[in-house]
Amino acid sequence: MKPAVSFRQLRVFVAVARLGTLSAAARELCLSPSATSEALAELERRLGVALFDRPGRRLTLNVLGEELLPRAERLLEGVEEFVAAAREPEGELRGRLVVSASATVGTYLLPGLAGRFNEAHPGAELRLRLRNSREVIDEVLRLEADLGLIEGECREPSLVSEPWCEDRLVIVASPRHALAAAGHLDDAALARGPWILREPGSGTRAVFEAAMRGRSLTPRVAMELGQHEAIKQAVRAGLGLGCLSEFCVAGELARGELVALSSDLGLRRRFSLVWHPQRYRSPLWQAFKVALGEYGAGSLAAPGGA
């Protein structure tokens, strides 16, 4: 009996769901636009339902499409694993894993771990994406990333999360700043700032603002910048105070380019792993999560013992 749907139709469905347009899906799958459109139309005809809303030229998954997407992905991954098992030596990890990480994790921690993992598993392809914490959560929710690493805790009830490792935020200033000699910021100085901070949605920004609220303080924000390096440059130039991960400023502190200022703010936090419970957790996914757990337990002590 002829199957209700074909492998090509499932591939087209998943590609269109991820990329949002038929033309983008056609380019990724190396198909003509007409063949891509026909495959999607035939899939919906065979199922007897529409899987997408079609506002303008963009295709957006409807409720049923969102429910079926993880199942289609699991079917495709199962076929890929079946083929790989027939071709590759037993036990060798293969496949692609998309990891979305917030700025501190993705810039200072993940590259080294990913490099070691790739050395141990050369057949595995890790795709790393750098986002802020809110964007990481959104990508995991939309099933665009297999695994997310964020700063702080995940409060999204639809996702699964667990602590990964600890971090400490440090208030930094230029050695020439008027407050540098004092070494300690009282509440009046904390409120006065001025502050150079990450953008809203950043885990670093959220931890800092929560600590300030805990002392009934509102920071005077002079600049909002989306990159750690830009913040460090502005702080070095004497434009204000910064609050960044100790991982991020360890080199500048050691070289005397920045100085750390103490305060009564509680600035410790945890990095967390997040994933979607409906996302297929392949052997590669599980192996990388184990590697993250080992790295977090044994190697991630922030500079200075944090």
Side-chain angles (χ1 to χ4, degrees):
M1 183 174 66
K2 188 176 182 179
V5 299
S6 69
F7 182 72
R8 170 184 280 195
Q9 291 162 5
L10 287 178
R11 290 183 68 210
V12 167
F13 167 56
V14 170
V16 173
R18 288 175 173 169
L19 300 173
T21 65
L22 288 167
S23 58
R27 287 193 297 271
E28 179 171 279
L29 298 175
C30 297
L31 297 173
S32 68
S34 60
T36 304
S37 177
E38 290 169 4
L40 183 60
E42 180 64 11
L43 173 64
E44 291 182 318
R45 189 188 69 77
R46 286 180 177 272
L47 294 177
V49 295
L51 301 173
F52 294 87
D53 295 323
R54 290 167 167 81
R57 301 179 65 180
R58 188 165 185 85
L59 281 74
T60 304
L61 283 173
N62 60 25
V63 174
L64 180 59
E66 290 178 348
E67 180 181 342
L68 293 179
L69 177 60
R71 301 185 184 188
E73 289 177 321
R74 287 196 292 271
L75 286 171
L76 292 178
E77 289 168 346
V79 171
E80 291 170 357
E81 289 172 9
F82 174 82
V83 174
R87 294 178 177 173
E88 304 299 337
E90 184 178 356
E92 184 173 349
L93 288 175
R94 296 222 169 238
R96 181 182 68 185
L97 195 70
V98 178
V99 181
S100 184
S102 58
T104 301
V105 178
T107 303
Y108 299 99
L109 306 181
L110 193 54
L113 173 60
R116 287 190 284 275
F117 188 84
N118 279 334
E119 288 178 3
H121 306 287
E125 178 189 357
L126 294 181
R127 293 193 178 180
L128 309 182
R129 297 175 176 174
L130 194 63
R131 306 288 189 260
N132 69 34
S133 291
R134 181 64 255 176
E135 291 167 343
V136 171
I137 291 171
D138 289 342
E139 286 199 349
V140 175
L141 276 172
R142 295 193 300 264
L143 302 174
E144 295 173 2
D146 298 291
L147 188 64
L149 293 100
I150 63 170
E151 301 158 24
E153 298 180 2
C154 177
R155 304 187 186 281
E156 171 55 57
S158 301
L159 300 180
V160 179
S161 69
E162 65 180 43
W164 180 35
C165 66
E166 290 192 348
D167 181 34
R168 184 169 74 92
L169 299 184
V170 180
I171 297 172
V172 291
S174 165
R176 302 182 302 277
H177 195 282
L179 295 171
H184 181 82
L185 300 177
D186 59 19
D187 284 358
L190 289 169
R192 189 165 60 247
W195 291 95
I196 302 168
L197 301 176
R198 286 287 308 280
E199 78 284 0
S202 155
T204 300
R205 173 77 174 262
V207 171
F208 173 75
E209 290 184 335
M212 291 285 279
R213 285 195 301 270
R215 299 191 65 79
S216 301
L217 299 174
T218 301
R220 183 165 70 90
V221 181
M223 300 176 67
E224 293 179 340
L225 300 173
Q227 295 181 348
H228 292 133
E229 293 303 316
I231 293 174
K232 289 189 286 187
Q233 290 285 355
V235 172
R236 275 200 294 262
L239 300 180
L241 304 174
C243 185
L244 294 167
S245 167
E246 196 168 19
F247 290 111
C248 172
V249 296
E252 288 79 8
L253 293 175
R255 294 189 296 269
E257 298 169 359
L258 295 174
V259 295
L261 304 177
S262 64
S263 74
D264 293 327
L265 297 178
L267 293 174
R268 286 190 176 271
R269 64 177 175 180
R270 283 184 171 180
F271 296 139
S272 299
L273 306 177
V274 295
W275 64 90
H276 200 297
Q278 294 182 349
R279 186 76 170 185
Y280 173 64
R281 295 185 286 281
S282 66
L284 174 58
W285 187 99
Q286 296 175 49
F288 189 67
K289 183 173 180 293
V290 168
L292 286 173
E294 293 174 347
Y295 195 55
S299 302
L300 289 184

